[in-house]
PDB file of all heavy atoms in Angstrom:
ATOM      1  N   PHE A   1     -13.427  25.070 -26.520  1.00 35.00           N
ATOM      2  CA  PHE A   1     -12.895  26.146 -25.903  1.00 35.00           C
ATOM      3  C   PHE A   1     -11.510  26.442 -26.550  1.00 35.00           C
ATOM      4  O   PHE A   1     -10.744  25.534 -26.836  1.00 35.00           O
ATOM      5  CB  PHE A   1     -12.503  25.866 -24.352  1.00 35.00           C
ATOM      6  CG  PHE A   1     -13.792  25.781 -23.558  1.00 35.00           C
ATOM      7  CD1 PHE A   1     -14.201  24.593 -23.050  1.00 35.00           C
ATOM      8  CD2 PHE A   1     -14.531  26.924 -23.309  1.00 35.00           C
ATOM      9  CE1 PHE A   1     -15.308  24.463 -22.265  1.00 35.00           C
ATOM     10  CE2 PHE A   1     -15.582  26.829 -22.560  1.00 35.00           C
ATOM     11  CZ  PHE A   1     -16.031  25.607 -22.002  1.00 35.00           C
ATOM     12  N   GLU A   2     -11.166  27.642 -26.697  1.00 37.00           N
ATOM     13  CA  GLU A   2      -9.814  28.097 -27.147  1.00 37.00           C
ATOM     14  C   GLU A   2      -9.444  29.298 -26.366  1.00 37.00           C
ATOM     15  O   GLU A   2     -10.300  30.037 -25.949  1.00 37.00           O
ATOM     16  CB  GLU A   2      -9.771  28.414 -28.636  1.00 37.00           C
ATOM     17  CG  GLU A   2      -9.827  27.111 -29.559  1.00 37.00           C
ATOM     18  CD  GLU A   2      -9.398  27.489 -30.934  1.00 37.00           C
ATOM     19  OE1 GLU A   2      -9.241  28.612 -31.303  1.00 37.00           O
ATOM     20  OE2 GLU A   2      -9.353  26.479 -31.717  1.00 37.00           O
ATOM     21  N   ASP A   3      -8.110  29.478 -26.092  1.00 39.00           N
ATOM     22  CA  ASP A   3      -7.744  30.679 -25.414  1.00 39.00           C
ATOM     23  C   ASP A   3      -7.817  31.909 -26.311  1.00 39.00           C
ATOM     24  O   ASP A   3      -8.083  31.798 -27.481  1.00 39.00           O
ATOM     25  CB  ASP A   3      -6.344  30.513 -24.688  1.00 39.00           C
ATOM     26  CG  ASP A   3      -5.266  30.510 -25.744  1.00 39.00           C
ATOM     27  OD1 ASP A   3      -5.445  30.785 -26.897  1.00 39.00           O
ATOM     28  OD2 ASP A   3      -4.128  30.056 -25.284  1.00 39.00           O
ATOM     29  N   LYS A   4      -7.437  33.043 -25.803  1.00 39.00           N
ATOM     30  CA  LYS A   4      -7.564  34.329 -26.502  1.00 39.00           C
ATOM     31  C   LYS A   4      -6.735  34.308 -27.761  1.00 39.00           C
ATOM     32  O   LYS A   4      -7.026  34.907 -28.721  1.00 39.00           O
ATOM     33  CB  LYS A   4      -7.181  35.448 -25.606  1.00 39.00           C
ATOM     34  CG  LYS A   4      -8.061  35.620 -24.436  1.00 39.00           C
ATOM     35  CD  LYS A   4      -7.114  35.556 -23.145  1.00 39.00           C
ATOM     36  CE  LYS A   4      -7.966  35.251 -21.911  1.00 39.00           C
ATOM     37  NZ  LYS A   4      -7.523  34.016 -21.331  1.00 39.00           N
ATOM     38  N   ASN A   5      -5.629  33.650 -27.789  1.00 46.00           N
ATOM     39  CA  ASN A   5      -4.709  33.591 -28.919  1.00 46.00           C
ATOM     40  C   ASN A   5      -5.093  32.523 -29.915  1.00 46.00           C
ATOM     41  O   ASN A   5      -4.426  32.388 -30.915  1.00 46.00           O
ATOM     42  CB  ASN A   5      -3.300  33.363 -28.450  1.00 46.00           C
ATOM     43  CG  ASN A   5      -2.829  34.428 -27.421  1.00 46.00           C
ATOM     44  OD1 ASN A   5      -3.241  35.590 -27.535  1.00 46.00           O
ATOM     45  ND2 ASN A   5      -2.083  34.038 -26.521  1.00 46.00           N
ATOM     46  N   GLY A   6      -6.070  31.636 -29.595  1.00 52.00           N
ATOM     47  CA  GLY A   6      -6.484  30.611 -30.516  1.00 52.00           C
ATOM     48  C   GLY A   6      -5.537  29.413 -30.489  1.00 52.00           C
ATOM     49  O   GLY A   6      -5.517  28.666 -31.456  1.00 52.00           O
ATOM     50  N   ALA A   7      -4.683  29.318 -29.503  1.00 68.00           N
ATOM     51  CA  ALA A   7      -3.649  28.238 -29.383  1.00 68.00           C
ATOM     52  C   ALA A   7      -4.180  27.041 -28.794  1.00 68.00           C
ATOM     53  O   ALA A   7      -3.462  26.030 -28.597  1.00 68.00           O
ATOM     54  CB  ALA A   7      -2.433  28.835 -28.641  1.00 68.00           C
ATOM     55  N   GLY A   8      -5.477  26.949 -28.396  1.00 87.00           N
ATOM     56  CA  GLY A   8      -5.998  25.788 -27.712  1.00 87.00           C
ATOM     57  C   GLY A   8      -5.987  25.909 -26.139  1.00 87.00           C
ATOM     58  O   GLY A   8      -5.885  27.035 -25.650  1.00 87.00           O
ATOM     59  N   LEU A   9      -6.084  24.811 -25.466  1.00 92.00           N
ATOM     60  CA  LEU A   9      -6.138  24.808 -24.034  1.00 92.00           C
ATOM     61  C   LEU A   9      -4.773  24.296 -23.483  1.00 92.00           C
ATOM     62  O   LEU A   9      -4.328  23.145 -23.829  1.00 92.00           O
ATOM     63  CB  LEU A   9      -7.289  23.843 -23.522  1.00 92.00           C
ATOM     64  CG  LEU A   9      -8.651  24.320 -23.967  1.00 92.00           C
ATOM     65  CD1 LEU A   9      -9.687  23.249 -23.786  1.00 92.00           C
ATOM     66  CD2 LEU A   9      -9.018  25.524 -23.084  1.00 92.00           C
ATOM     67  N   ASN A  10      -4.229  25.063 -22.635  1.00 92.00           N
ATOM     68  CA  ASN A  10      -2.911  24.767 -22.057  1.00 92.00           C
ATOM     69  C   ASN A  10      -3.101  24.229 -20.673  1.00 92.00           C
ATOM     70  O   ASN A  10      -3.601  25.040 -19.861  1.00 92.00           O
ATOM     71  CB  ASN A  10      -1.977  25.965 -22.155  1.00 92.00           C
ATOM     72  CG  ASN A  10      -0.563  25.675 -21.612  1.00 92.00           C
ATOM     73  OD1 ASN A  10      -0.280  24.698 -20.973  1.00 92.00           O
ATOM     74  ND2 ASN A  10       0.354  26.534 -22.013  1.00 92.00           N
ATOM     75  N   CYS A  11      -2.673  23.064 -20.451  1.00 91.00           N
ATOM     76  CA  CYS A  11      -2.904  22.474 -19.069  1.00 91.00           C
ATOM     77  C   CYS A  11      -2.109  23.211 -17.981  1.00 91.00           C
ATOM     78  O   CYS A  11      -2.324  23.056 -16.749  1.00 91.00           O
ATOM     79  CB  CYS A  11      -2.580  20.983 -19.034  1.00 91.00           C
ATOM     80  SG  CYS A  11      -3.804  20.018 -19.964  1.00 91.00           S
ATOM     81  N   ALA A  12      -1.041  23.869 -18.415  1.00 90.00           N
ATOM     82  CA  ALA A  12      -0.248  24.637 -17.402  1.00 90.00           C
ATOM     83  C   ALA A  12      -0.838  25.979 -17.014  1.00 90.00           C
ATOM     84  O   ALA A  12      -0.503  26.576 -16.008  1.00 90.00           O
ATOM     85  CB  ALA A  12       1.150  24.883 -17.930  1.00 90.00           C
ATOM     86  N   ASP A  13      -1.886  26.408 -17.818  1.00 93.00           N
ATOM     87  CA  ASP A  13      -2.531  27.710 -17.591  1.00 93.00           C
ATOM     88  C   ASP A  13      -3.600  27.374 -16.600  1.00 93.00           C
ATOM     89  O   ASP A  13      -4.569  26.603 -16.891  1.00 93.00           O
ATOM     90  CB  ASP A  13      -3.122  28.293 -18.869  1.00 93.00           C
ATOM     91  CG  ASP A  13      -3.815  29.570 -18.596  1.00 93.00           C
ATOM     92  OD1 ASP A  13      -3.271  30.577 -18.524  1.00 93.00           O
ATOM     93  OD2 ASP A  13      -5.180  29.452 -18.564  1.00 93.00           O
ATOM     94  N   PRO A  14      -3.761  28.028 -15.418  1.00 93.00           N
ATOM     95  CA  PRO A  14      -4.752  27.773 -14.400  1.00 93.00           C
ATOM     96  C   PRO A  14      -6.170  27.936 -14.933  1.00 93.00           C
ATOM     97  O   PRO A  14      -6.983  27.080 -14.548  1.00 93.00           O
ATOM     98  CB  PRO A  14      -4.481  28.735 -13.346  1.00 93.00           C
ATOM     99  CG  PRO A  14      -3.040  29.119 -13.455  1.00 93.00           C
ATOM    100  CD  PRO A  14      -2.741  29.059 -14.953  1.00 93.00           C
ATOM    101  N   GLN A  15      -6.431  28.871 -15.790  1.00 94.00           N
ATOM    102  CA  GLN A  15      -7.811  29.046 -16.269  1.00 94.00           C
ATOM    103  C   GLN A  15      -8.204  27.900 -17.252  1.00 94.00           C
ATOM    104  O   GLN A  15      -9.362  27.347 -17.196  1.00 94.00           O
ATOM    105  CB  GLN A  15      -7.958  30.432 -17.005  1.00 94.00           C
ATOM    106  CG  GLN A  15      -7.964  31.588 -15.974  1.00 94.00           C
ATOM    107  CD  GLN A  15      -8.073  32.871 -16.778  1.00 94.00           C
ATOM    108  OE1 GLN A  15      -7.660  33.073 -17.803  1.00 94.00           O
ATOM    109  NE2 GLN A  15      -8.713  33.817 -16.056  1.00 94.00           N
ATOM    110  N   ASP A  16      -7.332  27.590 -18.071  1.00 93.00           N
ATOM    111  CA  ASP A  16      -7.571  26.485 -19.086  1.00 93.00           C
ATOM    112  C   ASP A  16      -7.687  25.129 -18.351  1.00 93.00           C
ATOM    113  O   ASP A  16      -8.505  24.320 -18.574  1.00 93.00           O
ATOM    114  CB  ASP A  16      -6.403  26.329 -20.112  1.00 93.00           C
ATOM    115  CG  ASP A  16      -6.417  27.474 -21.178  1.00 93.00           C
ATOM    116  OD1 ASP A  16      -7.437  28.217 -21.192  1.00 93.00           O
ATOM    117  OD2 ASP A  16      -5.549  27.565 -21.949  1.00 93.00           O
ATOM    118  N   PHE A  17      -6.741  24.980 -17.354  1.00 93.00           N
ATOM    119  CA  PHE A  17      -6.790  23.764 -16.533  1.00 93.00           C
ATOM    120  C   PHE A  17      -8.185  23.617 -15.899  1.00 93.00           C
ATOM    121  O   PHE A  17      -8.726  22.541 -15.830  1.00 93.00           O
ATOM    122  CB  PHE A  17      -5.648  23.738 -15.491  1.00 93.00           C
ATOM    123  CG  PHE A  17      -5.629  22.412 -14.697  1.00 93.00           C
ATOM    124  CD1 PHE A  17      -4.932  21.342 -15.247  1.00 93.00           C
ATOM    125  CD2 PHE A  17      -6.295  22.310 -13.521  1.00 93.00           C
ATOM    126  CE1 PHE A  17      -4.915  20.122 -14.507  1.00 93.00           C
ATOM    127  CE2 PHE A  17      -6.197  21.163 -12.711  1.00 93.00           C
ATOM    128  CZ  PHE A  17      -5.546  20.081 -13.277  1.00 93.00           C
ATOM    129  N   ARG A  18      -8.614  24.737 -15.377  1.00 95.00           N
ATOM    130  CA  ARG A  18      -9.951  24.685 -14.633  1.00 95.00           C
ATOM    131  C   ARG A  18     -11.058  24.336 -15.563  1.00 95.00           C
ATOM    132  O   ARG A  18     -11.973  23.535 -15.247  1.00 95.00           O
ATOM    133  CB  ARG A  18     -10.229  26.048 -13.962  1.00 95.00           C
ATOM    134  CG  ARG A  18     -11.597  26.182 -13.281  1.00 95.00           C
ATOM    135  CD  ARG A  18     -11.956  25.035 -12.350  1.00 95.00           C
ATOM    136  NE  ARG A  18     -11.397  25.244 -11.090  1.00 95.00           N
ATOM    137  CZ  ARG A  18     -11.549  24.328 -10.037  1.00 95.00           C
ATOM    138  NH1 ARG A  18     -12.174  23.210 -10.290  1.00 95.00           N
ATOM    139  NH2 ARG A  18     -11.075  24.563  -8.930  1.00 95.00           N
ATOM    140  N   LYS A  19     -11.019  24.831 -16.836  1.00 95.00           N
ATOM    141  CA  LYS A  19     -12.076  24.443 -17.830  1.00 95.00           C
ATOM    142  C   LYS A  19     -12.012  23.045 -18.098  1.00 95.00           C
ATOM    143  O   LYS A  19     -13.042  22.393 -18.157  1.00 95.00           O
ATOM    144  CB  LYS A  19     -11.769  25.270 -19.103  1.00 95.00           C
ATOM    145  CG  LYS A  19     -12.153  26.743 -19.027  1.00 95.00           C
ATOM    146  CD  LYS A  19     -11.770  27.421 -20.396  1.00 95.00           C
ATOM    147  CE  LYS A  19     -11.871  28.885 -20.330  1.00 95.00           C
ATOM    148  NZ  LYS A  19     -11.431  29.520 -21.567  1.00 95.00           N
ATOM    149  N   ILE A  20     -10.865  22.468 -18.328  1.00 94.00           N
ATOM    150  CA  ILE A  20     -10.705  21.046 -18.665  1.00 94.00           C
ATOM    151  C   ILE A  20     -11.165  20.216 -17.428  1.00 94.00           C
ATOM    152  O   ILE A  20     -11.941  19.284 -17.567  1.00 94.00           O
ATOM    153  CB  ILE A  20      -9.191  20.686 -18.997  1.00 94.00           C
ATOM    154  CG1 ILE A  20      -8.829  21.382 -20.248  1.00 94.00           C
ATOM    155  CG2 ILE A  20      -9.056  19.131 -19.059  1.00 94.00           C
ATOM    156  CD1 ILE A  20      -7.319  21.285 -20.527  1.00 94.00           C
ATOM    157  N   TYR A  21     -10.769  20.591 -16.222  1.00 95.00           N
ATOM    158  CA  TYR A  21     -11.166  19.860 -15.072  1.00 95.00           C
ATOM    159  C   TYR A  21     -12.684  19.826 -14.817  1.00 95.00           C
ATOM    160  O   TYR A  21     -13.272  18.810 -14.679  1.00 95.00           O
ATOM    161  CB  TYR A  21     -10.493  20.428 -13.821  1.00 95.00           C
ATOM    162  CG  TYR A  21     -10.719  19.727 -12.498  1.00 95.00           C
ATOM    163  CD1 TYR A  21      -9.944  18.647 -12.150  1.00 95.00           C
ATOM    164  CD2 TYR A  21     -11.886  20.120 -11.723  1.00 95.00           C
ATOM    165  CE1 TYR A  21     -10.267  17.939 -10.931  1.00 95.00           C
ATOM    166  CE2 TYR A  21     -12.122  19.399 -10.554  1.00 95.00           C
ATOM    167  CZ  TYR A  21     -11.308  18.388 -10.174  1.00 95.00           C
ATOM    168  OH  TYR A  21     -11.584  17.700  -9.002  1.00 95.00           O
ATOM    169  N   ASP A  22     -13.268  21.007 -14.934  1.00 95.00           N
ATOM    170  CA  ASP A  22     -14.749  21.113 -14.622  1.00 95.00           C
ATOM    171  C   ASP A  22     -15.502  20.354 -15.755  1.00 95.00           C
ATOM    172  O   ASP A  22     -16.558  19.791 -15.424  1.00 95.00           O
ATOM    173  CB  ASP A  22     -15.203  22.607 -14.736  1.00 95.00           C
ATOM    174  CG  ASP A  22     -14.676  23.372 -13.509  1.00 95.00           C
ATOM    175  OD1 ASP A  22     -14.290  22.773 -12.461  1.00 95.00           O
ATOM    176  OD2 ASP A  22     -14.738  24.645 -13.570  1.00 95.00           O
ATOM    177  N   ALA A  23     -15.069  20.350 -16.946  1.00 95.00           N
ATOM    178  CA  ALA A  23     -15.744  19.668 -18.007  1.00 95.00           C
ATOM    179  C   ALA A  23     -15.583  18.135 -18.054  1.00 95.00           C
ATOM    180  O   ALA A  23     -16.391  17.410 -18.580  1.00 95.00           O
ATOM    181  CB  ALA A  23     -15.283  20.264 -19.419  1.00 95.00           C
ATOM    182  N   THR A  24     -14.557  17.630 -17.502  1.00 95.00           N
ATOM    183  CA  THR A  24     -14.196  16.234 -17.585  1.00 95.00           C
ATOM    184  C   THR A  24     -14.269  15.467 -16.234  1.00 95.00           C
ATOM    185  O   THR A  24     -14.267  14.235 -16.364  1.00 95.00           O
ATOM    186  CB  THR A  24     -12.721  16.072 -18.279  1.00 95.00           C
ATOM    187  OG1 THR A  24     -11.802  16.595 -17.382  1.00 95.00           O
ATOM    188  CG2 THR A  24     -12.833  16.618 -19.663  1.00 95.00           C
ATOM    189  N   MET A  25     -14.231  16.046 -15.194  1.00 95.00           N
ATOM    190  CA  MET A  25     -14.025  15.308 -13.873  1.00 95.00           C
ATOM    191  C   MET A  25     -15.089  14.243 -13.647  1.00 95.00           C
ATOM    192  O   MET A  25     -14.893  13.124 -13.328  1.00 95.00           O
ATOM    193  CB  MET A  25     -13.876  16.300 -12.692  1.00 95.00           C
ATOM    194  CG  MET A  25     -13.795  15.644 -11.407  1.00 95.00           C
ATOM    195  SD  MET A  25     -12.426  14.446 -11.270  1.00 95.00           S
ATOM    196  CE  MET A  25     -12.658  13.768  -9.660  1.00 95.00           C
ATOM    197  N   PRO A  26     -16.438  14.673 -13.748  1.00 95.00           N
ATOM    198  CA  PRO A  26     -17.393  13.714 -13.558  1.00 95.00           C
ATOM    199  C   PRO A  26     -17.318  12.449 -14.374  1.00 95.00           C
ATOM    200  O   PRO A  26     -17.400  11.296 -13.940  1.00 95.00           O
ATOM    201  CB  PRO A  26     -18.761  14.394 -13.764  1.00 95.00           C
ATOM    202  CG  PRO A  26     -18.372  15.882 -13.616  1.00 95.00           C
ATOM    203  CD  PRO A  26     -17.005  15.994 -14.123  1.00 95.00           C
ATOM    204  N   LEU A  27     -17.064  12.610 -15.686  1.00 95.00           N
ATOM    205  CA  LEU A  27     -16.965  11.502 -16.604  1.00 95.00           C
ATOM    206  C   LEU A  27     -15.779  10.730 -16.274  1.00 95.00           C
ATOM    207  O   LEU A  27     -15.813   9.451 -16.293  1.00 95.00           O
ATOM    208  CB  LEU A  27     -16.792  12.055 -18.051  1.00 95.00           C
ATOM    209  CG  LEU A  27     -16.437  11.001 -19.160  1.00 95.00           C
ATOM    210  CD1 LEU A  27     -17.562   9.917 -19.254  1.00 95.00           C
ATOM    211  CD2 LEU A  27     -16.183  11.648 -20.465  1.00 95.00           C
ATOM    212  N   LEU A  28     -14.606  11.263 -16.051  1.00 95.00           N
ATOM    213  CA  LEU A  28     -13.405  10.511 -15.754  1.00 95.00           C
ATOM    214  C   LEU A  28     -13.534   9.672 -14.448  1.00 95.00           C
ATOM    215  O   LEU A  28     -13.139   8.570 -14.369  1.00 95.00           O
ATOM    216  CB  LEU A  28     -12.228  11.479 -15.717  1.00 95.00           C
ATOM    217  CG  LEU A  28     -11.861  12.177 -17.020  1.00 95.00           C
ATOM    218  CD1 LEU A  28     -10.689  13.084 -16.729  1.00 95.00           C
ATOM    219  CD2 LEU A  28     -11.547  11.192 -18.093  1.00 95.00           C
ATOM    220  N   PHE A  29     -14.166  10.300 -13.520  1.00 95.00           N
ATOM    221  CA  PHE A  29     -14.407   9.620 -12.224  1.00 95.00           C
ATOM    222  C   PHE A  29     -15.301   8.357 -12.438  1.00 95.00           C
ATOM    223  O   PHE A  29     -15.023   7.302 -11.947  1.00 95.00           O
ATOM    224  CB  PHE A  29     -15.068  10.497 -11.159  1.00 95.00           C
ATOM    225  CG  PHE A  29     -15.359   9.793  -9.915  1.00 95.00           C
ATOM    226  CD1 PHE A  29     -14.374   9.533  -8.926  1.00 95.00           C
ATOM    227  CD2 PHE A  29     -16.676   9.370  -9.657  1.00 95.00           C
ATOM    228  CE1 PHE A  29     -14.678   8.834  -7.767  1.00 95.00           C
ATOM    229  CE2 PHE A  29     -16.972   8.692  -8.495  1.00 95.00           C
ATOM    230  CZ  PHE A  29     -15.934   8.489  -7.575  1.00 95.00           C
ATOM    231  N   LYS A  30     -16.348   8.539 -13.224  1.00 95.00           N
ATOM    232  CA  LYS A  30     -17.271   7.436 -13.490  1.00 95.00           C
ATOM    233  C   LYS A  30     -16.487   6.270 -14.157  1.00 95.00           C
ATOM    234  O   LYS A  30     -16.674   5.095 -13.792  1.00 95.00           O
ATOM    235  CB  LYS A  30     -18.410   7.817 -14.400  1.00 95.00           C
ATOM    236  CG  LYS A  30     -19.529   8.651 -13.658  1.00 95.00           C
ATOM    237  CD  LYS A  30     -20.580   9.002 -14.671  1.00 95.00           C
ATOM    238  CE  LYS A  30     -21.543   9.995 -14.118  1.00 95.00           C
ATOM    239  NZ  LYS A  30     -22.510  10.395 -15.070  1.00 95.00           N
ATOM    240  N   VAL A  31     -15.719   6.563 -15.181  1.00 93.00           N
ATOM    241  CA  VAL A  31     -14.944   5.588 -15.920  1.00 93.00           C
ATOM    242  C   VAL A  31     -14.011   4.833 -14.953  1.00 93.00           C
ATOM    243  O   VAL A  31     -13.964   3.664 -14.907  1.00 93.00           O
ATOM    244  CB  VAL A  31     -14.140   6.210 -17.095  1.00 93.00           C
ATOM    245  CG1 VAL A  31     -13.129   5.224 -17.679  1.00 93.00           C
ATOM    246  CG2 VAL A  31     -15.119   6.725 -18.138  1.00 93.00           C
ATOM    247  N   SER A  32     -13.213   5.614 -14.205  1.00 94.00           N
ATOM    248  CA  SER A  32     -12.281   4.981 -13.286  1.00 94.00           C
ATOM    249  C   SER A  32     -13.011   4.152 -12.190  1.00 94.00           C
ATOM    250  O   SER A  32     -12.572   3.004 -11.896  1.00 94.00           O
ATOM    251  CB  SER A  32     -11.354   6.085 -12.672  1.00 94.00           C
ATOM    252  OG  SER A  32     -10.417   5.461 -11.762  1.00 94.00           O
ATOM    253  N   PHE A  33     -14.075   4.717 -11.671  1.00 94.00           N
ATOM    254  CA  PHE A  33     -14.780   3.998 -10.553  1.00 94.00           C
ATOM    255  C   PHE A  33     -15.287   2.623 -11.099  1.00 94.00           C
ATOM    256  O   PHE A  33     -15.227   1.659 -10.298  1.00 94.00           O
ATOM    257  CB  PHE A  33     -15.892   4.894 -10.004  1.00 94.00           C
ATOM    258  CG  PHE A  33     -16.702   4.152  -8.952  1.00 94.00           C
ATOM    259  CD1 PHE A  33     -16.162   3.927  -7.717  1.00 94.00           C
ATOM    260  CD2 PHE A  33     -17.996   3.758  -9.231  1.00 94.00           C
ATOM    261  CE1 PHE A  33     -16.901   3.250  -6.734  1.00 94.00           C
ATOM    262  CE2 PHE A  33     -18.738   3.108  -8.251  1.00 94.00           C
ATOM    263  CZ  PHE A  33     -18.139   2.820  -7.024  1.00 94.00           C
ATOM    264  N   ARG A  34     -15.826   2.668 -12.307  1.00 93.00           N
ATOM    265  CA  ARG A  34     -16.367   1.400 -12.801  1.00 93.00           C
ATOM    266  C   ARG A  34     -15.326   0.345 -13.062  1.00 93.00           C
ATOM    267  O   ARG A  34     -15.582  -0.815 -13.025  1.00 93.00           O
ATOM    268  CB  ARG A  34     -17.269   1.669 -14.070  1.00 93.00           C
ATOM    269  CG  ARG A  34     -18.461   2.380 -13.854  1.00 93.00           C
ATOM    270  CD  ARG A  34     -19.367   1.704 -12.788  1.00 93.00           C
ATOM    271  NE  ARG A  34     -20.521   2.505 -12.449  1.00 93.00           N
ATOM    272  CZ  ARG A  34     -21.353   2.333 -11.500  1.00 93.00           C
ATOM    273  NH1 ARG A  34     -21.165   1.197 -10.801  1.00 93.00           N
ATOM    274  NH2 ARG A  34     -22.387   3.083 -11.231  1.00 93.00           N
ATOM    275  N   ILE A  35     -14.142   0.804 -13.275  1.00 92.00           N
ATOM    276  CA  ILE A  35     -13.006  -0.163 -13.518  1.00 92.00           C
ATOM    277  C   ILE A  35     -12.452  -0.597 -12.188  1.00 92.00           C
ATOM    278  O   ILE A  35     -12.240  -1.800 -12.010  1.00 92.00           O
ATOM    279  CB  ILE A  35     -11.928   0.552 -14.369  1.00 92.00           C
ATOM    280  CG1 ILE A  35     -12.444   0.773 -15.781  1.00 92.00           C
ATOM    281  CG2 ILE A  35     -10.730  -0.420 -14.388  1.00 92.00           C
ATOM    282  CD1 ILE A  35     -11.551   1.549 -16.618  1.00 92.00           C
ATOM    283  N   VAL A  36     -12.207   0.326 -11.266  1.00 92.00           N
ATOM    284  CA  VAL A  36     -11.547  -0.124  -9.974  1.00 92.00           C
ATOM    285  C   VAL A  36     -12.519  -0.430  -8.911  1.00 92.00           C
ATOM    286  O   VAL A  36     -12.089  -1.121  -7.910  1.00 92.00           O
ATOM    287  CB  VAL A  36     -10.478   0.970  -9.493  1.00 92.00           C
ATOM    288  CG1 VAL A  36      -9.513   1.231 -10.581  1.00 92.00           C
ATOM    289  CG2 VAL A  36     -11.200   2.278  -9.168  1.00 92.00           C
ATOM    290  N   GLY A  37     -13.686   0.134  -8.890  1.00 90.00           N
ATOM    291  CA  GLY A  37     -14.781  -0.221  -7.888  1.00 90.00           C
ATOM    292  C   GLY A  37     -14.484   0.414  -6.548  1.00 90.00           C
ATOM    293  O   GLY A  37     -14.976  -0.062  -5.500  1.00 90.00           O
ATOM    294  N   ASP A  38     -13.624   1.492  -6.468  1.00 91.00           N
ATOM    295  CA  ASP A  38     -13.303   2.082  -5.188  1.00 91.00           C
ATOM    296  C   ASP A  38     -13.315   3.622  -5.445  1.00 91.00           C
ATOM    297  O   ASP A  38     -12.453   4.112  -6.238  1.00 91.00           O
ATOM    298  CB  ASP A  38     -11.877   1.620  -4.707  1.00 91.00           C
ATOM    299  CG  ASP A  38     -11.416   2.262  -3.451  1.00 91.00           C
ATOM    300  OD1 ASP A  38     -11.363   3.519  -3.414  1.00 91.00           O
ATOM    301  OD2 ASP A  38     -11.103   1.474  -2.567  1.00 91.00           O
ATOM    302  N   GLU A  39     -14.145   4.358  -4.743  1.00 93.00           N
ATOM    303  CA  GLU A  39     -14.242   5.792  -4.968  1.00 93.00           C
ATOM    304  C   GLU A  39     -12.954   6.585  -4.756  1.00 93.00           C
ATOM    305  O   GLU A  39     -12.524   7.428  -5.457  1.00 93.00           O
ATOM    306  CB  GLU A  39     -15.353   6.307  -4.079  1.00 93.00           C
ATOM    307  CG  GLU A  39     -16.736   6.017  -4.468  1.00 93.00           C
ATOM    308  CD  GLU A  39     -17.822   6.632  -3.680  1.00 93.00           C
ATOM    309  OE1 GLU A  39     -17.543   7.630  -2.835  1.00 93.00           O
ATOM    310  OE2 GLU A  39     -18.949   6.236  -3.772  1.00 93.00           O
ATOM    311  N   GLU A  40     -12.330   6.208  -3.629  1.00 95.00           N
ATOM    312  CA  GLU A  40     -11.114   6.943  -3.257  1.00 95.00           C
ATOM    313  C   GLU A  40     -10.031   6.680  -4.219  1.00 95.00           C
ATOM    314  O   GLU A  40      -9.323   7.634  -4.667  1.00 95.00           O
ATOM    315  CB  GLU A  40     -10.660   6.476  -1.829  1.00 95.00           C
ATOM    316  CG  GLU A  40      -9.675   7.397  -1.215  1.00 95.00           C
ATOM    317  CD  GLU A  40      -9.418   7.047   0.238  1.00 95.00           C
ATOM    318  OE1 GLU A  40     -10.340   6.983   1.036  1.00 95.00           O
ATOM    319  OE2 GLU A  40      -8.288   6.895   0.605  1.00 95.00           O
ATOM    320  N   ALA A  41      -9.767   5.440  -4.595  1.00 94.00           N
ATOM    321  CA  ALA A  41      -8.856   5.095  -5.633  1.00 94.00           C
ATOM    322  C   ALA A  41      -9.145   5.744  -6.996  1.00 94.00           C
ATOM    323  O   ALA A  41      -8.265   6.262  -7.626  1.00 94.00           O
ATOM    324  CB  ALA A  41      -8.731   3.550  -5.809  1.00 94.00           C
ATOM    325  N   ALA A  42     -10.423   5.662  -7.354  1.00 94.00           N
ATOM    326  CA  ALA A  42     -10.800   6.291  -8.609  1.00 94.00           C
ATOM    327  C   ALA A  42     -10.470   7.812  -8.602  1.00 94.00           C
ATOM    328  O   ALA A  42      -9.935   8.292  -9.616  1.00 94.00           O
ATOM    329  CB  ALA A  42     -12.291   6.099  -8.903  1.00 94.00           C
TER     330      ALA A  42
END
């Protein structure tokens, strides 16, 4: 993904942030959960 200007994904931009969140949340949750063993903490 790149924004309209080709500058990449800016975490401060709500649309870019949503793209990053939607694409990574399940994976990041799995990684954290397997390390900490607690859903809420993960």
